[in-house]
Amino acid sequence: MGAVGSKQHARVSKASKLSDVYDDNENSVAARYDTLVSAFKTQFEGEKPKTIARSPGRVNLIGEHIDYEGYSVLPMAIGLDVIVAVSVALKEEGNVEEDEAEATLSIANVDGEKYTPKEFPFDHEQEVDVKSHHWTNYVLCGFKGIFDQLKKQNKLESVLESAFMKRVKKVMVMVDGKVPLGSGLSSSSALNCAVTVALMDAFELSFTKGELSELTCLSERYSGTQSGGMDQAISIMGEKDLAKRIDFNPIGAMDVPLPTNLTFLIGNSCAVSKKAESAHKHYNLRVVECRLAAILMAKHYGEDIEKAKTRVTLREVADLYCNKGDLWTALGAVRKALNEGSYTKKQLENDEGLGDLRKIFDCENNEAFNVVLQKNDTFKLRDRARHVFSEARRVHEFQKICEGQSPRYAVSGPIYEHWCKVIGLEPDVGVASDDPTKDFGHPMYGIGKEDALAKLMHLSHESCKTQYECSCDELDELVNAFMSAGALGARLTGAGWGGCVVAVCESDIAEEILADVKKSFYEKRFQSGVANIADETNLLFKTAPSAGAAILHYDDEKGVIV
Ligand code: NG1
């Protein structure tokens, strides 16, 4: 079972008024939906949408690159979202010509110039063309995911044979997205989730939020990244005023109340992270490195090499061998089991006895891993594993502090206390890094909860930068700009290698900080043309936990439910 406060068994709500979902001005939100519907009617020759759904982007407060290793993360949904209108045209009964015509899936965007329309066959078995990165790939992911889920539930045959599915002539999809692309705010998952929820409703199906979270996590992998599940889960299960601790295997979302005197700010570094295109040297490479680290750790603990090769995540190995998953123990083990620096492919295959790496990663059937192994010859394992275990600890500490536990207790644990005794340190002079023998420059003793949360964010950024190597110059510059402006803490959010920074500050100085960062970071970018001043409000803004996915009712006379 998931944690207390989990909503994985609930269904996506049908919003009864806009304020259930949005904090923004209702008229401007309603006008956006009107634009979506009129674009739909223009594109699809007067057809009206049957279903409208929305799903938001997210900001991850802490817990980066650990979801695919099985560890909990701590994001919140944001107000920026993707909205989708869908309708299904059915074949006329007895019309032989229509009966024989191939059914289609037709996809368009309100901004049709930038995001061109595309038509696909209505075929859930078609492949997503990962070599051409068209935005509609994510729509196709959502479409395929629905049928995968039906298959998993042994319902595929009966649904495909249903009178409704047999009569499908054309599925029409119109999209409008407000989550900036490549920004680390998860525009791709917001699109995938909004499409999945809208299609589910239009196909008269019903999945729980947990099922939706899992199916969208898996379906997004058709786009070419080995997605971990955080983005889809928070997009589906987010709630107003609450951050969430998202757990995996099984999926769950536990409420995390944030201190009310703090405000979270988001800044876009203006370096676009092209996730799908660069996956082989960034995201997917890290997934491969973590798996190799898990295998070598299992081997270190004496597992037979063939058995070790079946290990997939670092958590799996830590739970088995490191004091039932104690993260200090796991960090200690990393130092013993894994060499500093990089391993070459040859070293791993021959000296470590892993044999052909392509077999471990099932490269014949997994193109994403195939490309990683073709294009990389060195793999850093110790640094990656250190980041994963220490970041998992920081998530735990962050949640405990939000729940009111004193920072000095939040960082402690049996191994930590043992170390403290060994080196003669008072246990309550805690550290929030990965090594209790180091970093006494970061004591958690005597500091308030706000500073402790900020410190955890700072340490997370340092670990992303130095050990996971997923930051970049622009992100580091923006983190520094927030800190110099008076933020308590700041870190990259999302996959990194570009995208956004999330900062935390005392609420009463949030506006001052935004003004200062605008001056120090953005003005030169507006001048040089790297950023457009017209996008200012989407580049730098305050954010609060927002609602997750919803289905909305549209009345042709009255517009979207008001
Ligand atoms: P973004 O920022 O959306 O690229 C990615 C993954 C997450 C998680 C983070 C890093 C997808 C869809 N999302 O997020 O699952 O692993 O990186 O924490 O691949």
Side-chain angles (χ1 to χ4, degrees):
M1 288 297 296
V4 179
S6 281
K7 303 287 189 310
Q8 70 269 31
H9 303 298
R11 312 268 153 178
V12 172
S13 60
K14 300 215 172 188
S16 58
K17 47 187 191 316
L18 282 178
S19 58
D20 284 352
V21 179
Y22 294 98
D23 289 325
D24 313 347
N25 174 296
E26 278 200 11
N27 292 335
S28 69
V29 178
R32 184 173 164 225
Y33 279 91
D34 288 340
T35 306
L36 177 80
V37 173
S38 55
F40 188 96
K41 289 180 180 165
T42 311
Q43 179 76 23
F44 301 116
E45 292 147 5
E47 288 278 348
K48 290 178 197 159
K50 177 178 176 189
T51 292
I52 295 185
R54 57 86 64 176
S55 215
R58 62 96 187 96
V59 59
N60 190 20
L61 300 179
I62 197 151
E64 227 56 85
H65 288 281
I66 59 172
D67 55 349
Y68 49 83
E69 290 308 302
Y71 285 113
S72 305
V73 294
L74 213 153
M76 65 192 195
I78 58 172
L80 301 171
D81 65 1
V82 173
I83 61 177
V84 176
V86 170
S87 194
V88 184
L90 298 178
K91 292 174 180 170
E92 232 178 82
E93 261 174 304
N95 183 329
V96 183
E97 215 176 287
E98 283 201 344
D99 266 355
E100 282 170 7
E102 196 186 29
T104 55
L105 170 65
S106 185
I107 307 163
N109 195 297
V110 169
D111 186 353
E113 271 186 27
K114 202 164 169 193
Y115 304 105
T116 51
K118 218 168 170 178
E119 190 156 275
F120 297 89
F122 181 75
D123 170 13
H124 64 276
E125 285 176 343
Q126 69 192 290
E127 291 199 1
V128 177
D129 182 3
V130 289
K131 294 207 173 88
S132 85
H133 298 286
H134 198 258
W135 71 277
T136 52
N137 283 6
Y138 293 106
V139 179
L140 216 46
C141 289
F143 172 70
K144 283 171 70 69
I146 287 187
F147 294 91
D148 289 347
Q149 178 66 20
L150 290 171
K151 191 168 178 194
K152 195 166 150 193
Q153 297 177 327
N154 289 325
K155 291 184 189 158
L156 183 60
E157 297 292 304
S158 61
V159 171
L160 290 178
E161 285 305 310
S162 66
F164 174 79
M165 279 292 174
K166 281 182 124 174
R167 285 182 57 210
V168 171
K169 179 165 83 176
K170 181 173 184 172
V171 177
M172 293 154 275
V173 180
M174 177 60 70
V175 173
D176 178 44
K178 282 257 183 275
V179 190
L181 297 192
S183 63
L185 300 178
S186 222
S187 54
S188 56
S189 300
L191 173 56
N192 179 13
C193 291
V195 164
T196 305
V197 172
L199 288 177
M200 170 188 79
D201 198 58
F203 293 163
E204 296 163 9
L205 301 168
S206 176
F207 302 128
T208 64
K209 289 187 182 186
E211 287 164 350
L212 280 165
S213 303
E214 272 166 352
L215 86 88
T216 47
C217 165
L218 295 175
S219 71
E220 204 158 322
R221 294 189 183 161
Y222 288 124
S223 73
T225 50
Q226 291 296 304
S227 161
M230 154 169 72
D231 304 350
Q232 299 85 359
I234 190 68
S235 187
I236 298 284
M237 296 195 276
E239 269 183 273
K240 267 192 185 180
D241 304 325
L242 289 166
K244 298 273 176 175
R245 190 194 76 202
I246 302 288
D247 305 326
F248 306 97
N249 310 315
I251 199 103
M254 187 183 185
D255 300 348
V256 180
L258 296 170
T260 48
N261 55 333
L262 293 181
T263 292
F264 290 89
L265 309 171
I266 293 179
N268 191 322
S269 71
C270 305
V272 178
S273 136
K274 293 199 168 163
K275 196 162 73 182
E277 289 94 320
S278 60
H280 67 277
K281 56 177 175 169
H282 291 151
Y283 196 89
N284 291 347
L285 173 58
R286 294 294 178 273
V287 179
V288 165
E289 289 175 316
C290 286
R291 177 148 184 212
L292 290 169
I295 294 172
L296 289 198
M297 281 185 72
K299 187 183 150 209
H300 166 81
Y301 280 105
E303 258 187 16
D304 167 77
I305 195 75
E306 290 310 316
K307 177 81 190 151
K309 275 155 61 174
T310 65
R311 300 294 171 204
V312 178
T313 64
L314 284 162
R315 179 170 187 172
E316 205 182 321
V317 177
D319 283 355
L320 276 173
Y321 301 113
C322 301
N323 203 3
K324 297 200 182 105
D326 177 79
L327 292 159
W328 290 126
T329 312
L331 283 160
V334 163
R335 276 192 289 275
K336 290 188 210 125
L338 305 169
N339 296 342
E340 202 145 4
S342 300
Y343 290 80
T344 63
K345 207 182 278 170
K346 214 165 134 222
Q347 257 177 322
L348 289 164
E349 293 189 334
N350 302 338
D351 308 351
E352 297 293 338
L354 302 190
D356 189 357
L357 296 187
R358 292 170 37 81
K359 284 208 179 116
I360 298 180
F361 289 93
D362 189 20
C363 289
E364 292 215 340
N365 300 308
N366 190 318
E367 184 54 18
F369 289 147
N370 188 28
V371 180
V372 169
L373 293 182
Q374 266 172 16
K375 301 207 170 174
N376 298 281
D377 190 50
T378 54
F379 304 88
K380 270 196 191 171
L381 309 192
R382 188 199 270 201
D383 285 355
R384 310 308 182 220
R386 275 167 59 110
H387 166 79
V388 168
F389 292 131
S390 68
E391 186 75 351
R393 258 214 82 89
R394 286 185 283 270
V395 170
H396 173 80
E397 290 161 7
F398 196 96
Q399 184 197 352
K400 290 280 165 221
I401 295 169
C402 284
E403 286 171 348
Q405 195 172 90
S406 153
R408 65 200 245 200
Y409 294 119
V411 294
S412 63
I415 298 295
Y416 167 72
E417 277 168 21
H418 168 74
W419 265 109
C420 289
K421 269 190 210 133
V422 171
I423 60 178
L425 180 79
E426 283 296 309
D428 55 7
V429 186
V431 286
S433 83
D434 65 338
D435 183 350
T437 64
K438 283 193 200 154
D439 295 324
F440 294 136
H442 305 301
M444 298 291 269
Y445 179 68
I447 65 172
K449 86 177 190 185
E450 294 77 9
D451 286 325
L453 294 177
K455 187 151 294 209
L456 289 167
M457 289 172 69
H458 167 75
L459 290 167
S460 168
H461 184 75
E462 285 303 303
S463 180
C464 283
K465 179 177 160 183
T466 58
Q467 292 178 16
Y468 221 68
E469 296 178 281
C470 61
S471 189
C472 64
D473 292 346
E474 292 87 341
L475 283 168
D476 295 341
E477 184 189 335
L478 185 51
V479 163
N480 291 337
F482 273 114
M483 296 307 288
S484 310
L488 296 169
R491 57 181 294 276
L492 68 84
T493 182
W497 296 289
C500 284
V501 162
V502 57
V504 64
C505 67
E506 301 279 0
S507 298
D508 53 354
I509 59 162
E511 295 299 337
E512 260 170 65
I513 293 182
L514 292 178
D516 205 326
V517 172
K518 180 179 166 191
K519 225 188 256 161
S520 63
F521 187 85
Y522 290 98
E523 263 168 16
K524 57 187 176 217
R525 287 173 166 82
F526 293 145
Q527 274 159 23
S528 68
V530 169
N532 187 342
I533 195 152
D535 294 334
E536 191 184 330
T537 50
N538 279 337
L539 290 171
L540 182 65
F541 54 93
K542 284 196 274 189
T543 190
S546 302
I551 298 168
L552 295 98
H553 175 67
Y554 190 87
D555 182 299
D556 217 32
E557 302 263 290
K558 297 189 204 135
V560 72
I561 39 106
V562 254

